[in-house]
Amino acid sequence: MALGVALGLGGGGAYGVLATPEYTATSYVVAVAKDGTDPATALGFAQAYGRITTGGAVLGAAQRTTGTPVDDLRASVRTATSPDAPMIEVTGADARAGRAAATANAVARALAEHANRSARSTGVRLTVFAQAVPPTAPTSPSLPISLAVGGCAGGLLGALVLLVRPRPAPEPHQASTPDPLPTPGSEPR
């Protein structure tokens, strides 16, 4: 088991040191209801626009700004919405901090422009609330976490090997015969 832990720590450490760091940056887009529109409508549209953010129309517009192919943008952008606030979180990821922020900002702007084309009919307008800034540190891989995961995985595999290894056959149990007890009247001479 100790060998498994040592190998796991070595593998986790190698991954933590050699893997390409990934930076993430986040922009926020808010849905605002126009005068005369129910504020709950903004929440509903924020949910809907959050789902289409990684669609072709929005990413196609962002591609013109970033120069990144749509498939690459789709792989590097994540969105999240809040169930109780009309907010859309757009997160960009890249091996370079500045590019992660630029991706998040381009997609957020493209989403707002796309949504605002139909703002007259929906009664909801999207606004970029906060732009992404380049992060100062990568979000992954983390060397301590890589070491912990590698050590745990190695320990688990080592324990599993111990459980399934063939066990030596038990030694045959030799029955020993006790010395006969002397019967009464027959004493040894």
Side-chain angles (χ1 to χ4, degrees), residues 29-34 37-53 58 79-83 85-89 111-112 114-127:
V29 178
V30 66
V32 180
K34 290 177 153 187
T37 305
D38 181 18
T41 304
L43 180 59
F45 273 102
Q47 299 289 327
Y49 285 129
R51 289 184 189 100
I52 67 162
T53 303
V58 174
T79 61
T81 56
S82 171
M87 184 83 64
I88 304 165
E89 179 181 287
L111 174 63
H114 177 74
N116 292 338
R117 285 191 208 109
S118 56
R120 189 173 303 230
S121 63
T122 63
V124 174
R125 182 166 183 74
L126 292 188
T127 304

Side-chain angles (χ1 to χ4, degrees), residues 14-87:
Y15 174 78
V17 170
L18 300 175
T20 303
E22 181 177 76
Y23 294 87
T24 57
T26 303
S27 290
Y28 295 92
V29 178
V30 66
V32 180
K34 290 177 153 187
D35 291 337
T37 305
D38 181 18
T41 304
L43 180 59
F45 273 102
Q47 299 289 327
Y49 285 129
R51 289 184 189 100
I52 67 162
T53 303
T54 55
V58 174
L59 293 183
Q63 176 190 21
R64 290 188 285 280
T65 305
T66 62
T68 305
V70 171
D71 289 337
D72 291 347
L73 282 174
R74 188 171 286 117
S76 65
V77 173
R78 293 185 316 271
T79 61
T81 56
S82 171
D84 55 357
M87 184 83 64

Side-chain angles (χ1 to χ4, degrees), residues 177-183 186 188:
T177 55
D179 292 334
L181 293 175
T183 57
S186 66

Side-chain angles (χ1 to χ4, degrees), residues 91-156:
T91 302
D94 199 273
R96 295 185 302 226
R99 195 163 163 168
T103 298
N105 290 332
V107 173
R109 279 191 305 274
L111 174 63
E113 291 169 5
H114 177 74
N116 292 338
R117 285 191 208 109
S118 56
R120 189 173 303 230
S121 63
T122 63
V124 174
R125 182 166 183 74
L126 292 188
T127 304
V128 176
F129 182 70
Q131 291 197 355
V133 295
T136 57
T139 52
S140 69
S142 166
L143 184 59
I145 291 175
S146 297
L147 287 170
V149 169
C152 289
L156 179 64

